[in-house]
């Protein structure tokens, strides 16, 4: 009766394909999959019982419907315009961006596939059976295509670059992207679907790759269709899909295909054909005998001939017939016909046909292709199930080693799993299996340096939690357990797994239990954590989260969880659960005044744990911090470095002072000191490096090699740690933790309208046409560094485009209204290599305004050389000669002087001229609001001047000045003899903090109508945005109005800037037309 793979009798092929009932539709009579029921009297002898049937004897096609597949209908080639081939530079851009994506491939590929299948339900319908395998296959397709761009660079010295996507069963395609595309073409994916995948790919690259460099990868992605990455997808994937489909269509409409269809119609009339086929198949592959009972053999050949007749005449139309093939595949899966049986049958199929028909070689090849195309669809359900079981078998083999199971115990458990999969499509882990699997997955994670404690992980089985409130309660318990003992306990809480081929499953929106909000400010800065600015905006606008009335840099975000097919739910925990630690320093008393803090529990919620083919996308996990993690967060995201540098007396104005290397240890020391003061677990990078090497030795004694990614271990902790020189191998072991996509970000992108899809600057440009282009020409990278800094300063409002000076063309300039040039001079007044192609083009009129383009130049050079900033001056004159309008005078940045100060001067001029970008109508504009509180009494100097002494300027003599007055050298003499405790020696550096004279401060106050007693009042500055009010970020800390005017604000109005100030005041409505005209007429000197 056939093999038994579980309890009870198993369905045979004869049971699955009854003679009088259609297996696909369940209806009686003729079967649309297996063909029409044919009377045996209509069958004829052929092959070995008679001569071969010639082509002239085949039935005419008029007896069967023609194939619905047509070249025009299927291909629609005009929708795939050709793109120009990639240049050598384009290839470098694509390979670099892809290499940076590989580290985050799990999240990027999942985001791409989920967006693709959500936006086009037809794709999900077509590929639902293999939905869980789509990320793997799409990664392999793109990876192979990228690798083929330049094969010279594919000989790798190290193993960090790998094409194997984390899946439990290898599914490689012989290095051919066309083979993958052919498979999905047979499954029904059309060029229009590949075009939709391109859009999803671009989205995922932008939003889910933390390593995406905004200045390189991001800039290319922003170019859209003209960028190298998008053109790569067009040329190497989209165009290839057209080529593959065109070849299939042309093959199926060839004369050979007509012969094949006529033969297919005749097979149903040759009585021996089915018997000959199965006889050869079972003799060649006796392992298949068990799948067919004796009772099958009476009907199986007849059904097979009917199937060949129907499928052969329909070709591979892959439309409605594709669904019939898919249904037949589920019937075969129920019969447990192994997936490799089709390949075995395919090699014999054409051979048996040749026994009965005159078979030209091309027709024979076409038959084999068609049979394997049918088999691809029919065998897919069983193929997916076999891979799923192979995943489980691999996991439980590892589990058996960990738990010392006997061979019989392992086989019994695998038999149970096979039975469960056959009945339910999945299986269920025991609590012990989850606990051991989670610990081993931590041990196998190559990016974690703290794996020495892998076997102490406390795993909580919470798969019973069926509601959001139950999930939130378990999360509270998780946090309490983590900090409930003498040290922080590593804990994992496992919630319900994702069902097979289900989208999303249960998962959190957050990446960690405790992350701090990031509030975008009117000037483009962020109050709080910039890494969470998008998420903060999402929970405020979509879920209605109300932040505290007084917003701070450290406001915990709510926890958001979403069940499949349900709306997201939000919960705010008591702040005590986060165990926040205020940061203080044992040596610098002023460190506490910086107001820094951090949570003690790094509870990650964005991991997907895969155990034996079952995914657990909701399994929050915590360990404990390395002090460097918190220090880097504060330095890189909160940008506290300059504040700490001022505190410890380090000059942070120039990179050459090495201030970051001196500040980072101070921040690390403060973190360690603060955590230990609160008796909370923290480990320093030197200790954790030693622990990692001890872990490697322990694993070696157990016969296990440790996978490790150097960039996350040796490169992360730095060269002074012992793992820096430790050679390590990065290889993939299972079970494993994977990154996963952010559901809220994917779904938010799909809900946008065309207007919403544009950037904020695009919306603003409907009301303000100004667009800024930043050009740079740099040899050592200095000009590029400051060009990027300018782009960051203007970013949120203007979103400027950054380009090399040598790459601009005549068509570039008219798209912009303002051009900023950052230009270095090379050698004896020459242009840097990336500026040599610059020419002053004649089209210097903005298409947006119809007025001449406005420009300004920041020229870099060294006064040591005679041709100081010669190329910068040349660029300035070239724009002027072309008819452009200079809106900020040229500024010179001397390498021998303070280039940072020159940049600040240039930035101030640009900001003064450009002004803020107007907010479009309908959008609430944040308002800066200042208020004076009660008087504070005596004016106290601000903490920033701690360590400074008041000195007297005794001489200020102008030595050298150019004609324009833009470059000058002045000798300033300062008498420090009266500065008590200064201890100044010749050659030392001085930190100079200029103050405004007190009489000028009081004069300004009187002019503004501020009473003298109010000058020393408390200063409170807030940002009012809708109904919310939060502290404003001014870039300085002033306790009183007097302190702000005396020590922080430049209250001197230069004659050169007064006209622009009057114009801005007039535009803002502060001056009437008469007042404005009168002041301008009086003249700057009189004012």
């Amino acid at each position: 009766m056939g093999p038994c793979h579980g309890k009870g009798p198993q369905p045979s092929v004869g049971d699955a394909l009854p003679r009088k009932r259609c297996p696909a539709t369940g209806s009686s009579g003729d079967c649309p999959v297996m063909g029409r029921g044919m009377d045996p009297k209509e069958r004829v002898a052929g092959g070995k019982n008679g001569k071969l049937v010639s082509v002239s004897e085949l039935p005419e096609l008029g007896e069967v419907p023609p194939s619905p597949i047509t070249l025009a209908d299927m291909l629609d080639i005009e929708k795939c315009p050709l793109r120009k081939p990639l240049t050598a530079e384009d290839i470098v851009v694509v390979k670099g961006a892809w290499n940076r994506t590989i580290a985050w491939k799990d999240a990027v590929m999942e985001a791409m596939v989920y967006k693709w299948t959500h936006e086009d339900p037809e794709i999900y319908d077509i590929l639902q059976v293999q939905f869980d395998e789509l990320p793997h296959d799409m990664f392999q397709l793109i990876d192979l295509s990228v690798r083929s761009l330049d094969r010279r660079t594919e000989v790798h010295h190290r193993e960090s670059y790998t094409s194997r996507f984390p899946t439990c069963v290898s599914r490689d395609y012989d290095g051919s992207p066309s083979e993958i595309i052919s498979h999905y073409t047979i499954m029904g994916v059309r060029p229009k679907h590949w075009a939709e995948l391109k859009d999803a790919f671009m989205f995922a690259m932008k939003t889910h790759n933390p390593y995406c460099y905004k200045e390189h990868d991001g800039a290319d992605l922003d170019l859209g269709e003209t960028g190298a990455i998008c053109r790569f997808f067009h040329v190497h994937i989209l165009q290839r899909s057209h080529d593959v489909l065109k070849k299939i269509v042309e093959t199926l409409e060839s004369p050979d295909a007509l012969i094949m269809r006529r033969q297919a119609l005749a097979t149903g009339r040759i009585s021996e054909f089915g018997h000959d086929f199965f006889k050869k198949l079972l003799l060649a592959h006796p392992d298949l005998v068990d799948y067919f009972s004796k009772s099958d053999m009476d009907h199986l050949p007849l059904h097979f001939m009917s199937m060949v007749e129907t499928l052969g005449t329909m070709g591979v139309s892959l439309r409605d017939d594709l669904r019939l093939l898919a249904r037949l595949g589920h019937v075969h899966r129920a019969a447990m016909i192994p997936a490799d049986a089709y390949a075995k049958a395919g090699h014999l199929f054409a051979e048996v046909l040749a026994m009965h028909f005159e078979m030209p070689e091309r027709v024979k090849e076409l038959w084999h292709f068609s049979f394997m195309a049918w088999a691809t669809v029919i065998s897919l359900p069983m193929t997916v199930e076999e891979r799923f079981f192979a995943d489980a078998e691999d996991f439980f083999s590892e589990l058996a080693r960990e738990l010392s199971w006997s061979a019989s115990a392992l086989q019994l458990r695998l038999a149970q799993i096979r039975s469960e999969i056959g009945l339910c499509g999945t299986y269920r882990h025991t609590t012990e299996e989850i606990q051991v699997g989670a610990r081993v997955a931590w041990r196998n994670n190559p990016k974690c340096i703290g794996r020495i404690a892998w076997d102490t992980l406390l795993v909580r089985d919470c798969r019973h939690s069926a509601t959001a409130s139950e999930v939130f309660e378990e999360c509270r318990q998780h946090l309490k357990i983590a900090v409930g003992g003498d040290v922080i306990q590593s804990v994992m809480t496992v919630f319900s797994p994702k069902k097979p081929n289900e989208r999303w499953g249960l998962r959190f929106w957050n990446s960690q239990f405790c992350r701090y909000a990031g509030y975008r400010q009117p000037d483009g800065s962020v109050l709080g954590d910039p890494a969470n600015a998008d998420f903060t905006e999402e929970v405020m606008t979509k879920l209605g989260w109300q932040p505290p009335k007084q917003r701070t840099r450290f406001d915990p975000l709510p926890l958001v969880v979403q069940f499949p097919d349900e709306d997201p739910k939000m919960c705010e925990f008591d702040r005590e659960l986060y165990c926040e630690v205020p940061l203080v320093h044992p040596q610098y008393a002023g460190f506490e005044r910086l107001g820094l803090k951090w949570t003690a529990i790094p509870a990650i919620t964005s991991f997907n744990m895969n155990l034996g083919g079952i995914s657990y996308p909701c399994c929050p996990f915590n360990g404990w911090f390395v002090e460097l993690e918190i220090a880097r967060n504060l330095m890189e995201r909160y940008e506290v470095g300059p504040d700490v540098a001022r505190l410890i007396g380090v000059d942070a104005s120039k990179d050459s002072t090495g201030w970051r290397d001196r500040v980072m240890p101070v921040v690390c020391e403060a973190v360690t000191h603060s955590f230990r003061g609160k008796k909370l677990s923290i480990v320093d990078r030197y200790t954790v490096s030693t622990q990692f090497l001890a872990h490697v030795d322990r694993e070696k004694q157990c016969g296990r090699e440790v996978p490790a990614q150097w960039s996350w271990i040796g490169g992360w902790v730095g060269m002074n740690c012992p793992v820096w020189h430790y050679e390590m191998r990065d290889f993939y072991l299972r079970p494993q933790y994977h990154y996963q996509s952010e559901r809220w970000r994917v779904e938010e992108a799909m809900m946008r309208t065309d207007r919403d899809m544009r950037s904020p600057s695009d919306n603003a440009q409907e009301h303000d046409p100004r667009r800024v282009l930043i050009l740079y020409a740099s040899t050592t990278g200095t000009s590029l560094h400051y060009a990027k800094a300018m782009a960051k300063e203007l970013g949120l409002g203007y979103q400027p485009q950054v380009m090399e000076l040598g790459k601009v063309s005549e068509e570039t300039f008219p798209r912009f209204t303002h051009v900023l040039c950052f230009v270095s001079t090379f050698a004896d007044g020459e242009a840097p290599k990336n500026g040599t192609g610059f020419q002053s083009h004649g089209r210097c009129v903005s298409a947006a305004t119809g007025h001449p383009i406005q420009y300004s130049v920041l020229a870099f050079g060294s006064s040591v050389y005679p041709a100081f900033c010669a190329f910068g001056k040349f660029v300035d004159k070239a724009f002027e000669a072309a008819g452009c309008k200079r809106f900020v005078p040229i500024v010179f940045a001397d390498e021998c002087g303070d280039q940072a100060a020159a940049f600040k001067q240039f930035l101030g001029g640009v900001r003064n001229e450009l002004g803020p970008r107007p907010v479009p109508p309908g959008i609430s504009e944040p308002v800066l609001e200042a208020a004076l509180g009660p008087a504070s009494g005596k004016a106290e100097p601000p903490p920033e001047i701690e360590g400074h002494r008041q000195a007297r300027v005794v001489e200020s003599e102008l030595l050298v000045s150019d004609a324009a007055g833009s470059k000058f050298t002045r000798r300033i003499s300062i008498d420090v003899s009266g500065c008590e405790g200064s201890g100044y020696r010749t050659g030392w550096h001085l930190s100079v903090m200029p103050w405004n004279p007190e009489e000028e401060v009081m004069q300004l106050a009187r002019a503004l109508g501020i009473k003298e007693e109010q000058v020393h009042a408390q200063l409170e500055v807030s940002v009012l945005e809708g109904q919310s009010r939060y502290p404003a970020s001014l870039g300085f800390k002033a306790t009183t109005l007097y302190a702000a005017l005396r020590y922080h604000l430049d209250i001197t109005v230069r004659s050169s800037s007064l006209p622009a100030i009057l114009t801005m005041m007039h535009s803002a409505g502060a001056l009437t037309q008469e007042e404005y005209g009168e002041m301008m007429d009086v003249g700057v000197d009189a004012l």
Side-chain angles (χ1 to χ4, degrees):
M1 295 300 293
C4 181
H5 297 287
K7 297 181 180 180
Q10 300 298 308
S12 65
V13 174
D15 299 329
L17 308 178
R19 184 72 183 98
K20 297 299 183 180
R21 186 169 293 277
C22 169
T25 64
S27 61
S28 302
D30 293 344
C31 174
V33 172
M34 303 306 293
R36 59 189 177 91
M38 184 167 290
D39 193 313
K41 295 179 180 180
E42 297 182 38
R43 304 191 183 281
V44 298
K48 61 183 180 181
N49 294 326
K51 67 175 184 177
L52 296 178
V53 178
S54 65
V55 174
S56 61
E57 297 174 305
L58 294 173
E60 295 297 328
L61 282 179
E63 301 180 32
V64 295
S67 169
I69 192 168
T70 65
L71 182 62
D73 186 34
M74 298 290 287
L75 207 52
D76 206 5
I77 196 73
E78 71 274 5
K79 291 189 177 180
C80 183
L82 294 176
R83 296 294 190 273
K84 66 177 183 179
L86 299 181
T87 65
E89 183 180 353
D90 292 336
I91 291 175
V92 173
V93 170
V94 173
K95 288 178 71 72
W98 183 244
N99 188 47
R100 285 182 282 276
T101 302
I102 288 176
W104 306 90
K105 54 183 173 282
D106 309 89
V108 173
M109 290 296 104
E110 186 187 63
M112 179 185 75
V113 167
Y114 279 19
K115 187 173 188 293
W116 185 35
T117 55
H118 266 281
E119 290 188 333
D120 191 342
E122 183 183 12
I123 289 292
Y124 184 71
D125 183 52
I126 292 172
L127 303 176
Q128 184 175 4
V129 174
Q130 60 185 119
F131 178 77
D132 287 341
E133 295 189 347
L134 280 178
H136 163 267
D137 287 356
M138 295 303 104
F139 173 82
Q140 188 131 327
L141 169 61
I142 298 171
D143 186 57
L144 293 173
S145 300
V146 172
R147 286 170 177 261
S148 67
L149 295 176
D150 186 357
R151 298 187 182 276
R152 299 173 305 162
T153 63
E154 294 305 315
V155 180
H156 303 291
H157 290 290
R158 299 187 67 87
E159 300 170 324
S160 59
Y161 189 104
T162 172
S163 67
R164 184 66 55 82
F165 189 82
T167 187
C168 292
V169 179
S170 173
R171 183 179 175 180
D172 298 326
Y173 287 88
D174 300 328
S176 171
S178 295
E179 188 174 349
I180 304 176
I181 293 176
S182 296
H183 167 81
Y184 280 95
T185 299
I186 290 171
M187 295 303 301
V189 179
R190 295 292 171 258
K192 69 168 187 175
H193 301 134
W194 292 112
E196 293 165 349
L197 179 64
K198 176 208 67 179
D199 297 334
F201 171 68
M202 298 286 284
F203 160 79
M205 289 280 285
K206 278 185 178 182
T207 58
H208 283 77
N209 181 8
Y211 289 173
C212 178
Y213 289 164
K214 183 176 181 180
E215 298 81 4
H216 300 291
D217 310 338
D220 187 84
L221 290 167
D222 287 339
L223 293 176
E225 297 290 328
T226 61
I229 297 174
C230 189
R231 286 191 289 115
F232 153 77
F233 201 99
H234 266 284
V235 174
H236 292 271
I237 295 179
L238 187 54
Q239 185 61 50
R240 186 173 277 155
S241 73
H242 279 75
D243 296 340
V244 167
L245 185 56
K246 183 177 181 180
K247 184 177 180 180
I248 291 175
V249 172
E250 291 175 345
T251 300
L252 295 178
E253 294 193 345
S254 66
D256 296 326
L258 299 179
I259 296 175
M260 184 193 77
R261 293 181 190 176
R262 295 170 67 188
Q263 290 175 344
L265 184 62
T267 55
R269 304 182 182 185
I270 299 177
S271 56
E272 296 88 356
F273 177 75
H275 290 281
D276 290 342
F277 173 75
F278 279 101
K279 181 178 179 181
K280 273 187 162 296
L281 177 65
L282 298 179
L283 286 175
H285 303 284
D287 56 302
L288 297 178
V289 172
D290 288 342
Y291 292 94
F292 308 104
S293 66
K294 291 183 180 180
S295 60
D296 295 329
M297 301 310 296
D298 296 333
H299 297 294
L300 195 61
L302 299 179
H303 280 283
F304 180 73
M305 288 185 293
S306 296
M307 181 186 74
V308 172
E309 176 185 345
T310 300
L311 299 183
T313 54
M314 82 180 183
V316 282
S317 63
L318 302 176
R319 293 208 171 174
D320 294 334
D321 302 318
L322 181 64
R323 293 183 174 87
L324 297 179
L325 289 175
R327 293 171 188 168
L328 184 59
H330 289 290
V331 173
H332 283 210
R333 175 200 165 275
M336 301 195 74
I337 297 177
D340 62 354
Y342 300 93
K344 296 173 181 178
H347 294 294
L348 297 172
F349 181 72
E351 182 179 335
V352 175
L353 282 172
M355 295 169 53
H356 298 273
F357 298 99
E358 291 180 353
M359 186 70 66
E361 189 63 29
R362 290 192 301 274
V363 177
K364 186 176 180 180
E365 293 174 355
L366 187 56
W367 266 114
H368 182 264
F369 166 78
S370 298
F371 185 91
M372 296 311 296
W374 311 331
T376 296
V377 183
I378 296 172
S379 66
L380 189 59
M382 195 62 192
T383 300
V384 171
E385 182 173 308
E386 288 177 353
R387 290 174 182 153
F388 185 23
F389 180 75
D391 274 1
E393 190 174 31
D394 181 85
F395 171 67
F396 279 92
S397 297
E398 177 66 26
L399 203 66
R401 287 190 290 270
E402 294 293 326
L403 297 176
S404 301
W405 285 357
S406 64
S408 59
L410 173 61
Q411 292 306 314
L412 177 61
R413 183 67 177 114
L414 289 176
Q416 294 171 345
I417 291 168
R418 185 184 290 275
S419 177
E420 280 190 71
I421 293 175
L423 293 172
C424 309
T426 185
Y427 67 99
R428 182 177 174 85
H429 290 121
T430 66
T431 297
E432 183 186 40
E433 290 164 358
I434 291 178
Q435 290 173 341
V436 176
R439 292 171 187 146
V440 175
W442 186 11
R443 187 182 74 197
N444 290 341
N445 193 300
K447 294 181 178 180
C448 180
I449 195 173
R451 283 173 276 169
I452 193 170
W454 67 272
D455 54 353
T456 67
L457 177 65
L458 175 62
V459 182
R460 306 172 65 238
D461 185 358
C462 294
R463 288 175 291 174
H464 58 274
S465 302
T467 64
S469 59
E470 292 177 355
V471 170
F472 291 137
E473 180 56 35
E474 295 297 342
C475 292
R476 290 189 183 93
Q477 295 303 318
H478 180 124
L479 291 171
K480 291 177 181 178
I481 294 171
V483 295
D486 295 332
V487 296
I488 291 180
Q489 168 69 48
S490 54
V491 183
M492 172 177 282
T493 301
V494 180
F495 294 103
S496 58
K498 186 174 80 70
K499 297 176 183 178
N501 300 316
E502 179 185 53
R503 286 185 285 198
W504 300 118
L506 170 65
R507 68 175 63 188
F508 290 104
W509 278 23
N510 312 62
S511 59
Q512 293 185 24
F513 273 166
C514 182
R515 294 295 294 268
Y516 293 117
Y519 309 106
R520 287 198 171 94
Q521 305 294 291
D523 61 356
S525 63
V526 174
L527 174 67
D529 192 343
N532 301 319
D534 289 343
F535 183 76
T536 302
E537 185 175 330
E538 186 74 7
V539 294
M540 290 174 64
T541 56
K542 297 295 191 300
L543 302 183
W545 178 61
Q546 293 293 328
K549 291 184 178 180
Q550 291 295 329
R551 301 182 185 182
T552 71
R553 293 185 294 170
F554 298 97
D555 295 337
L557 286 161
L559 190 64
V560 181
V561 72
Q562 187 168 9
F563 279 80
D565 304 320
E566 293 185 16
D567 293 332
K569 303 296 190 300
M570 180 177 63
C571 178
E572 292 189 73
F573 290 167
D574 293 336
R575 194 150 186 171
E576 292 76 15
L577 287 175
Y578 296 126
C579 245
E580 293 174 287
V581 180
L583 301 186
V584 298
H585 196 279
Q587 183 179 350
Y588 298 101
F591 198 96
E592 185 176 3
R593 291 201 293 268
L594 297 177
L596 306 178
K597 65 175 68 175
W598 209 258
T599 178
I601 310 171
I604 302 170
T605 58
S606 57
F607 275 158
N608 183 343
M609 181 174 64
N610 190 291
L611 303 179
I614 295 181
S615 293
Y616 293 90
C618 193
C619 54
F621 160 82
N622 79 269
W624 49 85
F625 275 116
V626 179
E627 103 283 25
L628 188 61
E629 296 177 272
I630 299 175
R632 283 190 60 184
N633 290 340
L634 295 172
M635 290 283 290
E636 296 174 6
R637 301 199 320 238
Y638 279 78
E639 298 181 344
V640 303
D643 293 335
V644 178
R646 283 193 294 270
L647 178 68
I648 65 176
V650 175
D651 179 13
S653 63
K654 294 185 290 186
D655 292 340
S656 58
T657 62
W659 64 272
R660 292 181 181 85
D661 296 330
R662 300 170 66 181
V663 166
M664 180 63 84
V666 174
V667 180
C668 288
E669 186 180 5
V671 171
T672 304
H673 173 77
S674 303
F675 270 66
R676 289 177 179 171
K678 295 290 185 179
K679 297 183 179 181
L680 292 167
S681 299
I682 191 79
V683 62
D684 62 87
R685 57 190 180 277
Y686 307 102
T687 301
V688 80
S689 298
T690 305
Q691 291 174 351
F692 175 77
L693 295 179
H695 168 67
V696 172
D697 289 338
R698 287 184 190 178
E699 292 297 291
K700 187 187 302 180
Q701 295 170 10
C702 296
R704 296 189 292 257
E705 185 180 0
V706 175
Q709 191 172 122
W710 187 88
S711 60
W712 279 73
I713 296 178
W716 180 64
V717 296
M719 65 180 68
N720 293 326
C721 296
V723 294
W724 174 267
H725 294 291
Y726 180 76
E727 288 292 330
M728 49 193 74
R729 296 200 323 123
D730 183 12
F731 52 93
Y732 183 76
L733 289 178
R734 297 164 291 177
Q736 189 58 260
Y737 301 144
H738 301 146
Y739 295 112
Q740 57 187 1
S741 60
E742 298 174 300
R743 177 171 183 173
W744 65 269
R745 195 182 293 276
V746 175
E747 294 187 343
E748 188 268 340
M750 293 186 297
M751 293 172 61
R752 296 177 191 167
T753 61
D754 289 340
R755 176 184 175 88
D756 295 331
M757 285 292 288
R758 294 177 295 175
S759 65
S761 62
D762 292 331
N763 292 330
Q765 285 163 16
E766 294 182 1
H767 309 277
D768 183 352
R770 291 177 295 175
R771 293 198 63 196
V772 178
L773 172 65
I774 297 177
L775 302 176
Y776 69 90
S778 179
T779 301
T780 61
T782 301
S783 299
L784 174 60
H785 167 76
Y786 284 107
K788 293 177 181 177
M790 176 63 77
K792 183 178 180 180
E793 293 289 344
L794 301 178
L796 192 62
Y798 288 91
Q799 298 255 328
Q801 183 174 340
V802 181
M803 292 180 61
E804 289 184 357
L805 182 66
K807 290 186 176 180
V808 296
S809 63
E810 188 174 355
E811 291 75 25
T812 303
F813 290 114
R815 296 190 288 119
F816 300 91
T817 58
H818 293 74
V819 178
L820 305 176
C821 300
F822 293 75
V823 183
S824 296
T825 297
F826 177 68
D828 190 18
E830 301 172 8
K833 187 175 181 180
N834 53 10
T836 53
F838 171 72
Q839 298 178 2
S840 55
H841 301 287
R843 296 179 60 190
C844 280
V845 174
S846 172
T849 62
H851 299 301
I853 293 172
Q854 300 187 59
Y855 77 97
S856 187
V857 176
L858 176 58
F860 293 85
S862 174
S863 56
V864 172
Y865 299 97
F868 175 68
C869 293
F871 184 64
K873 297 174 182 176
F874 166 77
V875 171
D876 180 74
K877 296 297 183 184
F879 273 100
E880 183 180 33
C884 298
K885 180 182 178 183
R886 185 187 297 108
F887 74 99
V888 173
I890 185 172
V891 175
F892 297 95
D894 190 352
E895 185 180 5
C896 299
D898 191 346
Q899 292 183 330
F903 170 72
K904 290 180 181 178
Q905 176 188 345
F906 186 71
L907 174 63
V910 170
R911 278 180 167 171
N912 187 45
E913 293 296 333
L914 284 178
R917 180 183 288 279
V919 179
I923 297 178
S924 177
E925 181 178 6
V927 177
L928 197 66
E929 188 177 81
L932 295 177
S936 62
K938 183 180 178 182
E940 295 290 342
E944 289 88 342
I945 69 169
E946 201 172 294
H948 289 74
R949 302 291 184 270
Q950 188 167 2
R952 186 169 60 90
V953 177
V954 296
E955 182 182 14
S956 178
E957 179 184 359
L958 181 63
L959 300 179
V960 180
S961 175
D962 62 7
S966 58
K967 178 179 181 295
F968 56 87
T969 302
R970 183 178 292 273
R971 181 173 64 198
I972 299 177
S973 301
I974 302 176
D975 182 5
V976 297
S977 59
C979 298
E980 182 181 352
S982 65
Y984 176 79
R985 296 182 183 179
T986 304
W988 284 15
H989 289 274
L990 282 177
S991 172
V992 179
M993 186 175 182
W995 300 347
N996 293 311
E998 184 171 4
E999 57 273 16
E1000 291 187 11
V1001 171
M1002 302 308 295
Q1003 182 180 358
L1004 176 62
R1006 287 191 294 271
L1008 295 173
I1010 300 174
K1011 298 179 181 180
E1012 186 171 349
E1013 59 270 18
Q1014 291 181 305
V1015 173
H1016 297 290
Q1018 295 286 338
L1019 179 63
E1020 299 174 359
V1021 184
S1022 304
V1023 174
L1024 185 62
E1025 186 175 0
Q1027 300 299 318
S1028 300
R1029 183 190 304 274
Y1030 49 92
S1033 176
L1034 299 176
F1036 62 85
K1037 297 178 181 178
T1039 56
T1040 66
L1041 175 60
Y1042 177 86
L1045 298 176
R1046 179 84 192 274
Y1047 302 112
H1048 299 288
L1049 299 177
D1050 184 2
I1051 64 175
T1052 304
V1053 178
R1054 295 176 179 83
S1055 58
S1056 59
S1057 59
L1058 186 57
I1061 293 175
L1062 295 176
T1063 302
M1064 290 176 63
M1065 292 175 65
H1066 172 56
S1067 301
L1071 292 176
T1072 65
Q1073 180 65 38
E1074 294 76 12
E1075 291 173 333
Y1076 171 70
E1078 181 181 350
M1079 290 185 178
M1080 292 294 288
D1081 291 340
V1082 168
V1084 172
D1085 294 336
L1087 289 174

